mmCIF file of all heavy atoms in Angstrom:
data_model
loop_
_atom_site.group_PDB
_atom_site.id
_atom_site.type_symbol
_atom_site.label_atom_id
_atom_site.label_comp_id
_atom_site.label_asym_id
_atom_site.label_seq_id
_atom_site.Cartn_x
_atom_site.Cartn_y
_atom_site.Cartn_z
ATOM 1 N N ILE L 1 110.005 113.512 90.698
ATOM 2 C CA ILE L 1 109.051 113.637 89.575
ATOM 3 C C ILE L 1 107.980 114.668 89.893
ATOM 4 O O ILE L 1 107.584 115.484 89.048
ATOM 5 C CB ILE L 1 108.415 112.253 89.279
ATOM 6 C CG1 ILE L 1 109.480 111.293 88.713
ATOM 7 C CG2 ILE L 1 107.245 112.393 88.279
ATOM 8 C CD1 ILE L 1 108.970 109.886 88.491
ATOM 9 N N LEU L 2 107.477 114.650 91.164
ATOM 10 C CA LEU L 2 106.421 115.580 91.526
ATOM 11 C C LEU L 2 106.948 117.003 91.479
ATOM 12 O O LEU L 2 106.205 117.939 91.088
ATOM 13 C CB LEU L 2 105.904 115.223 92.928
ATOM 14 C CG LEU L 2 104.535 115.765 93.311
ATOM 15 C CD1 LEU L 2 103.441 115.209 92.410
ATOM 16 C CD2 LEU L 2 104.203 115.503 94.750
ATOM 17 N N LYS L 3 108.164 117.221 91.830
ATOM 18 C CA LYS L 3 108.730 118.575 91.805
ATOM 19 C C LYS L 3 108.869 119.062 90.378
ATOM 20 O O LYS L 3 108.707 120.253 90.089
ATOM 21 C CB LYS L 3 110.120 118.576 92.495
ATOM 22 C CG LYS L 3 110.060 118.486 94.014
ATOM 23 C CD LYS L 3 111.443 118.557 94.624
ATOM 24 C CE LYS L 3 111.368 118.560 96.154
ATOM 25 N NZ LYS L 3 112.686 118.638 96.784
ATOM 26 N N GLN L 4 109.133 118.162 89.430
ATOM 27 C CA GLN L 4 109.205 118.558 88.028
ATOM 28 C C GLN L 4 107.816 118.948 87.500
ATOM 29 O O GLN L 4 107.678 119.886 86.720
ATOM 30 C CB GLN L 4 109.766 117.415 87.201
ATOM 31 C CG GLN L 4 111.225 117.108 87.454
ATOM 32 C CD GLN L 4 111.690 115.868 86.705
ATOM 33 O OE1 GLN L 4 110.994 115.396 85.783
ATOM 34 N NE2 GLN L 4 112.831 115.340 87.104
ATOM 35 N N LEU L 5 106.784 118.218 87.970
ATOM 36 C CA LEU L 5 105.427 118.470 87.504
ATOM 37 C C LEU L 5 104.833 119.730 88.124
ATOM 38 O O LEU L 5 104.045 120.442 87.478
ATOM 39 C CB LEU L 5 104.515 117.265 87.797
ATOM 40 C CG LEU L 5 104.841 115.969 87.065
ATOM 41 C CD1 LEU L 5 103.971 114.830 87.610
ATOM 42 C CD2 LEU L 5 104.639 116.149 85.571
ATOM 43 N N TYR L 6 105.230 120.074 89.355
ATOM 44 C CA TYR L 6 104.661 121.227 90.051
ATOM 45 C C TYR L 6 105.793 122.046 90.634
ATOM 46 O O TYR L 6 106.033 122.055 91.837
ATOM 47 C CB TYR L 6 103.719 120.757 91.182
ATOM 48 C CG TYR L 6 102.544 119.944 90.616
ATOM 49 C CD1 TYR L 6 102.615 118.553 90.619
ATOM 50 C CD2 TYR L 6 101.432 120.544 90.109
ATOM 51 C CE1 TYR L 6 101.568 117.788 90.129
ATOM 52 C CE2 TYR L 6 100.377 119.803 89.626
ATOM 53 C CZ TYR L 6 100.451 118.438 89.602
ATOM 54 O OH TYR L 6 99.398 117.703 89.116
ATOM 55 N N PRO L 7 106.504 122.774 89.767
ATOM 56 C CA PRO L 7 107.663 123.557 90.241
ATOM 57 C C PRO L 7 107.319 124.634 91.232
ATOM 58 O O PRO L 7 108.158 125.024 92.034
ATOM 59 C CB PRO L 7 108.267 124.132 88.942
ATOM 60 C CG PRO L 7 107.139 124.080 87.931
ATOM 61 C CD PRO L 7 106.321 122.865 88.318
ATOM 62 N N HIS L 8 106.092 125.118 91.196
ATOM 63 C CA HIS L 8 105.698 126.196 92.124
ATOM 64 C C HIS L 8 105.632 125.719 93.555
ATOM 65 O O HIS L 8 105.619 126.534 94.496
ATOM 66 C CB HIS L 8 104.315 126.771 91.741
ATOM 67 C CG HIS L 8 103.199 125.807 91.901
ATOM 68 N ND1 HIS L 8 102.920 124.816 90.984
ATOM 69 C CD2 HIS L 8 102.312 125.620 92.939
ATOM 70 C CE1 HIS L 8 101.894 124.115 91.370
ATOM 71 N NE2 HIS L 8 101.482 124.555 92.544
ATOM 72 N N ALA L 9 105.647 124.398 93.778
ATOM 73 C CA ALA L 9 105.554 123.844 95.155
ATOM 74 C C ALA L 9 106.799 123.077 95.547
ATOM 75 O O ALA L 9 106.777 122.214 96.422
ATOM 76 C CB ALA L 9 104.316 122.969 95.281
ATOM 77 N N GLN L 10 107.927 123.340 94.831
ATOM 78 C CA GLN L 10 109.150 122.565 95.061
ATOM 79 C C GLN L 10 109.602 122.587 96.526
ATOM 80 O O GLN L 10 110.006 121.551 97.067
ATOM 81 C CB GLN L 10 110.279 123.083 94.173
ATOM 82 C CG GLN L 10 110.188 122.571 92.739
ATOM 83 C CD GLN L 10 111.489 122.795 91.986
ATOM 84 O OE1 GLN L 10 112.522 123.155 92.577
ATOM 85 N NE2 GLN L 10 111.438 122.592 90.691
ATOM 86 N N GLU L 11 109.506 123.735 97.152
ATOM 87 C CA GLU L 11 110.030 123.870 98.521
ATOM 88 C C GLU L 11 109.141 123.124 99.546
ATOM 89 O O GLU L 11 109.588 122.741 100.588
ATOM 90 C CB GLU L 11 110.122 125.347 98.902
ATOM 91 C CG GLU L 11 111.092 126.146 98.035
ATOM 92 C CD GLU L 11 112.537 125.606 98.164
ATOM 93 O OE1 GLU L 11 112.913 125.174 99.256
ATOM 94 O OE2 GLU L 11 113.205 125.586 97.097
ATOM 95 N N GLU L 12 107.865 122.947 99.142
ATOM 96 C CA GLU L 12 106.926 122.350 100.114
ATOM 97 C C GLU L 12 106.759 120.838 99.962
ATOM 98 O O GLU L 12 106.226 120.163 100.806
ATOM 99 C CB GLU L 12 105.534 123.039 99.927
ATOM 100 C CG GLU L 12 105.587 124.515 100.236
ATOM 101 C CD GLU L 12 104.329 125.206 99.752
ATOM 102 O OE1 GLU L 12 104.064 125.199 98.522
ATOM 103 O OE2 GLU L 12 103.583 125.739 100.610
ATOM 104 N N ILE L 13 107.237 120.321 98.808
ATOM 105 C CA ILE L 13 107.099 118.876 98.551
ATOM 106 C C ILE L 13 108.249 118.152 99.283
ATOM 107 O O ILE L 13 109.419 118.341 98.934
ATOM 108 C CB ILE L 13 107.174 118.588 97.046
ATOM 109 C CG1 ILE L 13 105.951 119.210 96.346
ATOM 110 C CG2 ILE L 13 107.198 117.055 96.794
ATOM 111 C CD1 ILE L 13 105.988 119.080 94.837
ATOM 112 N N LYS L 14 107.896 117.372 100.253
ATOM 113 C CA LYS L 14 108.867 116.634 101.046
ATOM 114 C C LYS L 14 108.423 115.157 101.148
ATOM 115 O O LYS L 14 107.323 114.813 100.751
ATOM 116 C CB LYS L 14 109.009 117.259 102.433
ATOM 117 C CG LYS L 14 109.435 118.695 102.435
ATOM 118 C CD LYS L 14 109.499 119.279 103.834
ATOM 119 C CE LYS L 14 109.868 120.747 103.825
ATOM 120 N NZ LYS L 14 109.863 121.323 105.172
ATOM 121 N N GLY L 15 109.298 114.353 101.705
ATOM 122 C CA GLY L 15 108.960 112.959 101.909
ATOM 123 C C GLY L 15 107.678 112.808 102.717
ATOM 124 O O GLY L 15 107.435 113.558 103.648
ATOM 125 N N THR L 16 106.889 111.832 102.364
ATOM 126 C CA THR L 16 105.588 111.654 103.010
ATOM 127 C C THR L 16 105.744 111.219 104.444
ATOM 128 O O THR L 16 106.666 110.437 104.773
ATOM 129 C CB THR L 16 104.740 110.690 102.223
ATOM 130 O OG1 THR L 16 103.411 110.729 102.741
ATOM 131 C CG2 THR L 16 105.268 109.262 102.332
ATOM 132 N N GLY L 17 104.910 111.689 105.281
ATOM 133 C CA GLY L 17 104.914 111.220 106.676
ATOM 134 C C GLY L 17 103.798 110.172 106.877
ATOM 135 O O GLY L 17 103.888 109.073 106.413
ATOM 136 N N GLU L 18 102.745 110.586 107.547
ATOM 137 C CA GLU L 18 101.612 109.698 107.750
ATOM 138 C C GLU L 18 100.957 109.387 106.436
ATOM 139 O O GLU L 18 100.743 110.254 105.555
ATOM 140 C CB GLU L 18 100.608 110.359 108.685
ATOM 141 C CG GLU L 18 99.376 109.510 108.942
ATOM 142 C CD GLU L 18 98.328 110.225 109.756
ATOM 143 O OE1 GLU L 18 98.512 111.422 110.013
ATOM 144 O OE2 GLU L 18 97.327 109.585 110.119
ATOM 145 N N LEU L 19 100.627 108.129 106.182
ATOM 146 C CA LEU L 19 100.071 107.701 104.898
ATOM 147 C C LEU L 19 98.594 107.376 105.090
ATOM 148 O O LEU L 19 98.207 106.676 106.023
ATOM 149 C CB LEU L 19 100.804 106.477 104.354
ATOM 150 C CG LEU L 19 102.236 106.689 103.897
ATOM 151 C CD1 LEU L 19 102.835 105.393 103.427
ATOM 152 C CD2 LEU L 19 102.328 107.722 102.783
ATOM 153 N N ILE L 20 97.767 107.823 104.159
ATOM 154 C CA ILE L 20 96.416 107.389 104.059
ATOM 155 C C ILE L 20 96.361 106.424 102.854
ATOM 156 O O ILE L 20 96.176 106.840 101.723
ATOM 157 C CB ILE L 20 95.441 108.553 103.838
ATOM 158 C CG1 ILE L 20 95.408 109.473 105.034
ATOM 159 C CG2 ILE L 20 94.039 108.042 103.539
ATOM 160 C CD1 ILE L 20 94.749 108.888 106.275
ATOM 161 N N HIS L 21 96.620 105.183 103.130
ATOM 162 C CA HIS L 21 96.510 104.196 102.055
ATOM 163 C C HIS L 21 96.360 102.828 102.670
ATOM 164 O O HIS L 21 96.570 102.628 103.850
ATOM 165 C CB HIS L 21 97.747 104.254 101.125
ATOM 166 C CG HIS L 21 98.982 103.658 101.702
ATOM 167 N ND1 HIS L 21 99.473 104.066 102.913
ATOM 168 C CD2 HIS L 21 99.804 102.690 101.235
ATOM 169 C CE1 HIS L 21 100.582 103.362 103.154
ATOM 170 N NE2 HIS L 21 100.794 102.512 102.188
ATOM 171 N N SER L 22 95.970 101.891 101.861
ATOM 172 C CA SER L 22 95.763 100.540 102.310
ATOM 173 C C SER L 22 96.605 99.601 101.485
ATOM 174 O O SER L 22 96.815 99.851 100.287
ATOM 175 C CB SER L 22 94.290 100.147 102.182
ATOM 176 O OG SER L 22 93.454 101.125 102.816
ATOM 177 N N GLU L 23 97.082 98.554 102.085
ATOM 178 C CA GLU L 23 98.028 97.684 101.375
ATOM 179 C C GLU L 23 97.553 96.235 101.434
ATOM 180 O O GLU L 23 96.959 95.804 102.396
ATOM 181 C CB GLU L 23 99.427 97.784 101.991
ATOM 182 C CG GLU L 23 100.140 99.070 101.661
ATOM 183 C CD GLU L 23 101.598 99.044 102.125
ATOM 184 O OE1 GLU L 23 101.955 98.045 102.775
ATOM 185 O OE2 GLU L 23 102.334 100.009 101.821
ATOM 186 N N TYR L 24 97.921 95.537 100.363
ATOM 187 C CA TYR L 24 97.834 94.098 100.373
ATOM 188 C C TYR L 24 99.013 93.556 101.156
ATOM 189 O O TYR L 24 99.911 94.311 101.534
ATOM 190 C CB TYR L 24 97.800 93.575 98.944
ATOM 191 C CG TYR L 24 96.692 94.048 98.087
ATOM 192 C CD1 TYR L 24 96.862 95.101 97.187
ATOM 193 C CD2 TYR L 24 95.392 93.526 98.215
ATOM 194 C CE1 TYR L 24 95.831 95.577 96.405
ATOM 195 C CE2 TYR L 24 94.353 93.992 97.433
ATOM 196 C CZ TYR L 24 94.579 95.030 96.520
ATOM 197 O OH TYR L 24 93.543 95.476 95.765
ATOM 198 N N ILE L 25 99.068 92.241 101.340
ATOM 199 C CA ILE L 25 100.250 91.642 101.962
ATOM 200 C C ILE L 25 101.224 91.350 100.845
ATOM 201 O O ILE L 25 101.097 90.382 100.116
ATOM 202 C CB ILE L 25 99.872 90.338 102.720
ATOM 203 C CG1 ILE L 25 98.849 90.703 103.830
ATOM 204 C CG2 ILE L 25 101.087 89.690 103.323
ATOM 205 C CD1 ILE L 25 98.302 89.491 104.536
ATOM 206 N N HIS L 26 102.224 92.263 100.696
ATOM 207 C CA HIS L 26 103.127 92.172 99.562
ATOM 208 C C HIS L 26 104.236 91.184 99.889
ATOM 209 O O HIS L 26 104.674 90.997 101.017
ATOM 210 C CB HIS L 26 103.759 93.542 99.281
ATOM 211 C CG HIS L 26 102.761 94.555 98.816
ATOM 212 N ND1 HIS L 26 102.142 94.497 97.603
ATOM 213 C CD2 HIS L 26 102.264 95.660 99.447
ATOM 214 C CE1 HIS L 26 101.314 95.532 97.461
ATOM 215 N NE2 HIS L 26 101.381 96.240 98.525
ATOM 216 N N GLU L 27 104.752 90.568 98.799
ATOM 217 C CA GLU L 27 105.944 89.733 98.916
ATOM 218 C C GLU L 27 107.214 90.557 98.737
ATOM 219 O O GLU L 27 108.299 90.127 99.146
ATOM 220 C CB GLU L 27 105.890 88.592 97.891
ATOM 221 C CG GLU L 27 104.708 87.647 98.128
ATOM 222 C CD GLU L 27 104.618 86.564 97.070
ATOM 223 O OE1 GLU L 27 105.422 86.569 96.141
ATOM 224 O OE2 GLU L 27 103.722 85.714 97.194
ATOM 225 N N ASP L 28 107.098 91.714 98.127
ATOM 226 C CA ASP L 28 108.252 92.592 97.911
ATOM 227 C C ASP L 28 108.293 93.644 99.019
ATOM 228 O O ASP L 28 107.287 93.976 99.645
ATOM 229 C CB ASP L 28 108.154 93.301 96.564
ATOM 230 C CG ASP L 28 108.128 92.342 95.393
ATOM 231 O OD1 ASP L 28 108.722 91.248 95.536
ATOM 232 O OD2 ASP L 28 107.528 92.665 94.356
ATOM 233 N N THR L 29 109.493 94.153 99.262
ATOM 234 C CA THR L 29 109.685 95.227 100.218
ATOM 235 C C THR L 29 109.575 96.545 99.422
ATOM 236 O O THR L 29 110.336 96.760 98.477
ATOM 237 C CB THR L 29 111.056 95.137 100.893
ATOM 238 O OG1 THR L 29 111.137 93.932 101.605
ATOM 239 C CG2 THR L 29 111.243 96.301 101.867
ATOM 240 N N ILE L 30 108.656 97.401 99.826
ATOM 241 C CA ILE L 30 108.400 98.637 99.103
ATOM 242 C C ILE L 30 108.954 99.807 99.890
ATOM 243 O O ILE L 30 108.563 100.064 101.043
ATOM 244 C CB ILE L 30 106.877 98.818 98.851
ATOM 245 C CG1 ILE L 30 106.322 97.628 98.050
ATOM 246 C CG2 ILE L 30 106.625 100.124 98.112
ATOM 247 C CD1 ILE L 30 104.849 97.662 97.849
ATOM 248 N N ASP L 31 109.906 100.521 99.293
ATOM 249 C CA ASP L 31 110.537 101.666 99.959
ATOM 250 C C ASP L 31 109.745 102.929 99.636
ATOM 251 O O ASP L 31 109.599 103.325 98.457
ATOM 252 C CB ASP L 31 111.984 101.773 99.470
ATOM 253 C CG ASP L 31 112.714 102.943 100.122
ATOM 254 O OD1 ASP L 31 112.209 103.442 101.161
ATOM 255 O OD2 ASP L 31 113.791 103.317 99.609
ATOM 256 N N THR L 32 109.238 103.593 100.649
ATOM 257 C CA THR L 32 108.437 104.807 100.463
ATOM 258 C C THR L 32 109.201 106.052 100.945
ATOM 259 O O THR L 32 108.601 107.138 101.003
ATOM 260 C CB THR L 32 107.115 104.719 101.238
ATOM 261 O OG1 THR L 32 107.374 104.568 102.634
ATOM 262 C CG2 THR L 32 106.294 103.522 100.741
ATOM 263 N N SER L 33 110.484 105.911 101.281
ATOM 264 C CA SER L 33 111.228 107.015 101.848
ATOM 265 C C SER L 33 111.419 108.161 100.849
ATOM 266 O O SER L 33 111.599 109.330 101.253
ATOM 267 C CB SER L 33 112.593 106.548 102.374
ATOM 268 O OG SER L 33 113.369 106.005 101.316
#
């Protein structure tokens, strides 16, 4: 989706590595790959 929104950066948009975010204790398994 991000590549569609910003085609000029398609080659640079890759799967995220280190995350700056905070999480609750989820009951679901969230796939971020």
Side-chain angles (χ1 to χ4, degrees):
I1 293 177
L2 200 64
K3 287 183 177 181
Q4 292 174 14
L5 294 173
Y6 300 95
H8 67 279
Q10 280 195 11
E11 298 299 323
E12 298 167 297
I13 297 175
K14 301 176 182 178
T16 190
E18 180 187 6
L19 293 177
I20 294 290
H21 75 306
S22 307
E23 287 188 354
Y24 301 100
I25 300 175
H26 296 289
E27 296 178 357
D28 299 332
T29 300
I30 301 175
D31 181 16
T32 61
S33 61

